[in-house]
């Protein structure tokens, strides 16, 4: 398929550079986090994933986003099928079924890509809506479609990823004209569903995470351990940090999942407040450019797509940073572009590709 080369002059190089800087910082932090452990070589695997992600990003921006949105229904059915396959036949790893084993033993986490499918789906549905304002009944069908993805993901169980579908859906719904009364009604529905989920859906270890968030000392060596150790690491970083590969909490192995969900704890301990401000500044720039892309999109489809992608990326960044600081309960939610994980890296670069796609075609006929 031929691609107009003139479109590449409209690529947001500043956004791409900021993402590459975050990715480079992430690789360096992964190397430090696993330097004294047994998981050596993970930084090399991360570089392979980044290279593959860049290729996927190039493929993504080469296809007009409207063509991708037009195929949202097909991609949605594929996502449902794969998520169902994972629940029934996926390998059980650490008590969960989240992965599909690919060629050469490569593990793929389909739920990471289901988020992108959800963005394409809500962009298609809400862009085709002819109404200026929407009520609860108007969002019931798309809400049920996205909710089904969330239920399948939560059943793995992976509540962290399932929750990311909420902000992307709500953002698109607000842009489509969701009325204030509908927002209040939706809030009541979510409270009721939350109560039912607490009673019938959450497992004991998930409830214990919430109890431990409220009072980590209830189980300091169990459910509260991650929160306590992460807070110690972040606080001990001080103004300028302890230095690269010099963090005691990370090098002595006190921080669990230090190269994945808690990689920001390692970075904060080594680089201190100054480093944290720099990285958060980079994330703020990336997210600002993402939402700015939605504002300048040439059509409703592009606006909904860019906004929903930006919304779920924002949720992941804010929640992960708040989690390592002990401000919210612990959930398995990676930090985009920095945490170790092939599926997370690939989906993050696909998300970047969708944002660049919308932005570079804002002047196209």
């Amino acid at each position: 398929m031929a691609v107009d080369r003139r479109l590449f002059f409209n690529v947001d190089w500043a956004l791409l550079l900021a993402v590459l800087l975050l990715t480079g910082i992430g690789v360096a932090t992964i190397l430090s986090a696993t330097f004294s452990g047994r998981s050596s070589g993970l930084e090399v695997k991360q570089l392979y994933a980044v290279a593959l992600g860049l290729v996927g990003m190039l493929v993504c921006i080469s296809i007009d986003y409207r063509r991708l949105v037009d195929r949202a229904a097909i991609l949605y059915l594929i996502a449902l099928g794969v998520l169902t396959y994972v629940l029934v036949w996926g390998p059980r790893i650490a008590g969960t079924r989240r992965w599909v084993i690919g060629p050469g033993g490569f593990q793929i986490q389909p739920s990471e890509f289901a988020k992108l499918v959800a963005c394409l789906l809500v962009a298609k549905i809400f862009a085709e809506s002819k109404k200026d304002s929407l009520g609860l009944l108007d969002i019931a069908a798309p809400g049920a479609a996205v909710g089904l993805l969330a239920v399948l993901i939560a059943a793995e169980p992976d509540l962290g990823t399932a929750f990311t579908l909420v902000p992307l859906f709500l953002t698109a719904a607000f842009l489509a004209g969701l009325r204030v009364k509908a927002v209040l009604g939706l809030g009541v529905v979510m409270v009721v569903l939350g109560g039912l989920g607490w009673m019938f859906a959450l497992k004991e270890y998930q409830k214990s995470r919430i109890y431990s968030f409220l009072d980590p000392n209830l189980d300091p060596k169990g459910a509260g351990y991650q929160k306590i150790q992460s807070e110690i690491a972040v606080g001990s970083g001080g103004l300028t940090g302890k230095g690269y590969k010099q963090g005691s909490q990370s090098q002595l192995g006190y921080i669990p999942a230090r190269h994945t969900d808690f990689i920001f704890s390692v970075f904060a301990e080594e680089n201190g407040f100054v480093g944290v401000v720099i990285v958060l500044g980079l994330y703020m720039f990336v997210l600002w450019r993402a939402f700015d892309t939605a504002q300048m999109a040439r059509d409703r489809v592009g606006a909904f797509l860019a906004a929903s992608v930006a919304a779920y990326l924002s949720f992941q960044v804010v929640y992960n940073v708040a989690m390592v600081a002990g401000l919210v309960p612990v959930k398995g939610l990676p930090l985009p572009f920095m945490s170790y994980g092939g599926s997370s890296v690939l989906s993050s670069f696909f998300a970047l590709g969708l944002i660049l796609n919308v932005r570079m075609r804002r002047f196209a006929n």
Side-chain angles (χ1 to χ4, degrees):
M1 180 180 63
V3 180
D4 190 346
R5 295 182 179 180
R6 292 175 297 179
L7 290 173
F8 288 94
F9 288 103
N10 296 325
V11 171
D12 191 343
W13 297 107
L15 172 59
L16 181 57
L17 176 61
V19 167
L20 291 177
L21 286 173
L22 286 171
T23 304
I25 293 171
V27 172
T29 308
I30 290 170
L31 173 60
S32 175
T34 58
F35 182 70
S36 62
R38 300 177 181 177
S39 303
S40 59
L42 293 184
E43 72 283 353
V44 177
K45 293 182 180 179
Q46 185 80 343
L47 286 173
Y48 288 147
V50 170
L52 189 58
L54 287 171
V55 172
M57 182 197 72
L58 288 175
V59 173
C60 185
I61 65 176
S62 298
I63 305 172
D64 193 313
Y65 63 87
R66 292 176 299 180
R67 294 171 63 89
L68 295 172
V69 171
D70 286 341
R71 290 159 176 78
I74 297 175
L75 294 173
Y76 175 75
L77 292 176
I78 294 174
L80 287 181
V82 175
L83 289 174
T84 302
Y85 171 86
V86 168
L87 283 177
V88 178
W89 292 288
R92 183 172 293 276
I93 302 175
T96 64
R97 295 183 186 271
R98 301 181 183 178
W99 295 272
V100 172
I101 306 299
F106 182 73
Q107 295 180 357
I108 301 174
Q109 190 171 351
S111 59
E112 285 289 336
F113 303 97
K115 296 180 293 188
L116 301 172
V117 173
C119 291
L120 294 170
L121 183 68
V122 297
K124 178 178 177 60
I125 293 175
F126 287 125
E128 292 177 351
S129 174
K130 304 299 182 181
K131 297 182 178 180
D132 294 328
S133 63
L134 303 176
L136 283 180
L137 291 179
D138 298 312
I139 66 169
V146 175
L148 182 56
L149 289 176
V151 168
L152 291 174
I153 295 172
E156 295 177 349
D158 186 0
L159 283 180
T161 303
F163 270 118
T164 61
L165 300 182
V166 176
L168 74 84
F169 174 77
L170 291 180
T171 299
F174 287 143
L175 288 179
L178 188 62
R179 294 192 292 268
V180 175
K181 289 183 178 179
V183 174
L184 296 176
L186 187 61
V188 173
V189 171
M190 294 180 69
V191 170
V192 173
L193 290 177
L196 293 174
W198 176 269
M199 290 187 291
F200 302 109
L202 288 185
K203 299 182 183 298
E204 286 304 318
Y205 80 90
Q206 293 168 331
K207 292 182 179 180
S208 66
R209 285 182 175 181
I210 298 176
Y211 290 135
S212 297
F213 162 69
L214 298 174
D215 185 3
N217 293 319
L218 289 175
D219 189 8
K221 294 184 179 181
Y225 182 78
Q226 289 175 306
K227 182 176 186 292
I228 294 172
Q229 297 303 322
S230 180
E231 288 179 341
I232 293 174
V234 173
S236 64
L239 180 62
T240 58
K242 297 180 178 179
Y244 188 59
K245 297 181 182 178
Q246 301 300 315
S248 57
Q249 295 297 111
S250 58
Q251 296 304 316
L252 295 177
Y254 288 112
I255 304 176
R258 57 188 181 276
H259 59 293
T260 53
D261 298 340
F262 283 85
I263 192 170
F264 198 71
S265 300
V266 178
F267 180 83
E269 184 182 27
E270 294 181 350
N271 298 276
F273 178 77
V274 174
V276 167
V277 169
I278 292 174
V279 165
L280 291 183
L282 286 171
Y283 272 117
M284 288 181 64
F285 177 79
V286 169
L287 298 175
W288 166 65
R289 299 293 273 197
F291 281 111
D292 186 55
T293 297
Q295 185 177 14
M296 64 173 55
R298 63 174 176 173
D299 52 27
R300 284 165 57 88
V301 173
F304 291 141
L305 180 59
S308 58
V309 172
Y312 94 70
L313 286 176
S314 299
F315 176 80
Q316 281 197 225
V317 171
V318 172
Y319 196 97
N320 184 278
V321 173
M323 178 181 71
V324 302
L327 301 177
V328 294
V330 173
K331 289 188 183 297
L333 202 61
L335 186 61
F337 303 111
M338 282 188 64
S339 290
Y340 173 79
S343 297
S344 174
V345 170
L346 288 175
S347 67
S348 295
F349 273 98
F350 276 127
L352 174 64
L354 290 176
I355 294 170
L356 292 174
N357 195 329
V358 174
R359 194 177 187 92
M360 68 190 284
R361 287 178 170 81
R362 65 191 184 276
F363 301 125
N365 294 324

